[in-house]
Amino acid sequence: MPLAPGLPKDAVFAALADARGGDADWRRGRTFSLVYFAGDESLEVIRHAYAAYIHENGLSLDAFPSLRRFERDVIRDACALFGGAATGSMTSGGTESVLMAMKAARDWARVHRPGATTPTVIVPVSAHPAFDKAAHTLGVSLVKVPLGADLRADVAAMAAAIDADTILLVGTAFTFPHGVVDDIPAIATLAAARGLLCHVDACLGGFVLAFAAEAGHEAVDFDFRVPGVTSLSCDLHKYGYAAKGASLVLYRDRALRLHQFFATVDWPGGLYGSPTMAGTRPGGAIAAAWAIQRYLGHDGYVRLTRLVLDTAAALRAGIAAIPGLRLLGDPRHSVLAFTGEGLDVFAVDERMRKLGWHLDRLQTPSGVQMIVSPAHAGVVDEFLRDLGVVTAEVKEGGLAAEADGAIYGALATLPDRGLVRELVLGWIDGTDDVG
Ligand SMILES: *Cc1c(COP(=O)(O)O)cnc(C)c1O
């Protein structure tokens, strides 16, 4: 079958504009994850840089020394910002950064922990699914430990789980589900005492926590200033406000990063080496990450962090004051989650969706999660008003979720997790169905 005939470019542009009518409205602060919009000028900066480097390929930094320079600048600045890493790599996102840290740990252990015949990594259950994906891909096992009552990692449970196969302990700063920071000093101290590696997943929180104190909010110890932390992941395309496709994985020691790399030397196509998973790498993502950091500078990040943390604090206070809602854990930064007390929180969520608010759902316990970004500063009052009205309706009417919220709630509590997994795989299979 031949492809359809080509169209004039204006027709293609019109079709693009037309296509996005049903997409999430991130400009007006209606979505709470997926997009980190720092305003029109920041958007102009990353758009310009991305477009300027649309064809450049980060696979060959010899061919594009400007990309080498951008990447070095971004990594060097992050190494210093996070308290003294030796080096690192840029990747396409948090998932790849975590995969690379896990690969480095696995290959490090082959040399330094030969007794670990079936290597395992200990993670709190709140760790991002990127760890499950990496473990599955790398042939490493995850040992999952429950959370404490505060929804942070239970470090005593992590200690009890260590055995001869353990290679790496993981903590998150801050967690995706509940926005709380694991006790990184305790986890890193434990790892160091047992001769293990310690990875901090700061994919979400890194660029908030690094500026929190200067923004007048609570500082926590989470980075390379903590002895025993050996690697750290931090997404540029979240609170770094870069274009999509940019993250960092950083290492305390160069020697550990070497285990991340890959080389094959017998290919007829020539000697081949690559630092991360990707082969061809979009120059635009590298250039945009560099450009936004030059544009915002330290002061710009402090200003945005203050805006985001003030907004999150206002949302937390407002939600805590709504009868029938309760915050999960004690989040202090820019992610928060709440559940219902004597009411169906998914019924609340469903009604908020009807009003155009797109929140994220949590399970065990059921809840609703929000990732606060600069675009939300202007919608706090409107959001809290809508949430208050909807919660009162659900509470007084004893209403239950009826549509997708009800299905989500049922799947979250279905004991047969294998069946739920099959359903999720089938759903992915159907979303891009072409025939
Ligand atoms: C987003 C996130 C990841 C994965 O990052 P992607 O960019 O979506 O691949 C990993 N860990 C945490 C804590 C995250 O929030």
Side-chain angles (χ1 to χ4, degrees), residues 93-96 98 128 130 172 174-176 201 203-204 235 237-238:
T95 300
E96 191 183 359
V98 166
H128 193 275
T172 309
F174 33 74
T175 69
F176 185 94
D201 183 7
C203 278
L204 192 50
D235 288 348
H237 64 198
K238 288 178 183 161

Side-chain angles (χ1 to χ4, degrees), residues 429-435:
D429 196 36
T431 45
D432 58 356
D433 210 349
V434 292

Side-chain angles (χ1 to χ4, degrees), residues 306-361:
R306 181 177 294 120
L307 184 66
V308 159
L309 292 178
D310 287 351
T311 302
L315 286 166
R316 285 198 302 270
I319 291 166
I322 295 175
L325 298 183
R326 178 172 61 84
L327 289 169
L328 287 170
D330 184 17
R332 306 284 178 86
H333 298 98
S334 58
V335 174
L336 59 101
F338 59 87
T339 189
E341 299 258 73
L343 60 80
D344 182 352
V345 73
F346 293 144
V348 172
D349 174 56
E350 224 171 59
R351 279 164 180 75
M352 288 299 277
R353 281 174 199 235
K354 284 199 189 120
L355 297 177
W357 300 103
H358 288 272
L359 309 171
D360 281 26
R361 293 174 180 140

Side-chain angles (χ1 to χ4, degrees), residues 109-365:
R110 286 177 179 166
V111 179
H112 299 282
R113 299 274 292 178
T117 47
T118 51
T120 61
V121 173
I122 300 177
V123 297
V125 294
S126 55
H128 193 275
F131 289 93
D132 299 80
K133 198 190 253 186
H136 179 81
T137 306
L138 295 165
V140 167
S141 299
L142 289 190
V143 174
K144 297 207 180 181
V145 298
L147 306 178
D150 57 359
L151 301 177
R152 300 162 80 213
D154 179 343
V155 183
M158 292 179 81
I162 296 174
D163 65 19
D165 283 325
T166 309
I167 61 172
L168 170 71
L169 306 186
V170 173
T172 309
F174 33 74
T175 69
F176 185 94
H178 311 117
V180 295
V181 183
D182 288 335
D183 187 345
I184 303 300
I187 296 171
T189 302
L190 177 62
R194 306 293 290 267
L196 304 171
L197 300 175
C198 173
H199 181 79
V200 175
D201 183 7
C203 278
L204 192 50
F207 279 107
V208 171
L209 296 174
F211 303 106
E214 284 170 89
H217 286 264
E218 183 172 306
V220 292
D221 296 324
F222 74 101
D223 61 13
F224 291 98
R225 275 165 277 234
V226 178
V229 171
T230 52
S231 59
L232 178 146
S233 47
C234 180
D235 288 348
L236 296 158
H237 64 198
K238 288 178 183 161
Y239 289 109
Y241 304 110
K244 293 286 189 288
S247 173
L248 289 166
V249 56
L250 305 177
Y251 296 93
R252 185 182 292 278
D253 299 310
R254 293 193 85 81
L256 181 54
R257 186 182 68 157
L258 213 48
H259 292 289
Q260 172 194 297
F261 296 164
F262 177 81
T264 184
V265 296
D266 300 319
W267 182 41
L271 301 177
Y272 187 100
S274 113
T276 56
M277 277 318 285
T280 291
R281 294 192 305 145
I286 297 169
W290 184 87
I292 193 68
Q293 293 202 337
R294 300 316 107 180
Y295 171 72
L296 289 175
H298 195 92
D299 292 353
Y301 280 106
V302 171
R303 177 176 51 78
L304 288 168
T305 300
R306 181 177 294 120
L307 184 66
V308 159
L309 292 178
D310 287 351
T311 302
L315 286 166
R316 285 198 302 270
I319 291 166
I322 295 175
L325 298 183
R326 178 172 61 84
L327 289 169
L328 287 170
D330 184 17
R332 306 284 178 86
H333 298 98
S334 58
V335 174
L336 59 101
F338 59 87
T339 189
E341 299 258 73
L343 60 80
D344 182 352
V345 73
F346 293 144
V348 172
D349 174 56
E350 224 171 59
R351 279 164 180 75
M352 288 299 277
R353 281 174 199 235
K354 284 199 189 120
L355 297 177
W357 300 103
H358 288 272
L359 309 171
D360 281 26
R361 293 174 180 140
L362 303 178
Q363 58 179 356
T364 58

Side-chain angles (χ1 to χ4, degrees), residues 6 10 15 31 46 74 85 172 185 192 245-246 248 279 292 303 330 387 407 420:
D10 288 340
T31 57
I46 56 178
V74 170
T172 309
L248 289 166
I292 193 68
R303 177 176 51 78
D330 184 17
L387 186 64
I407 297 169
V420 177

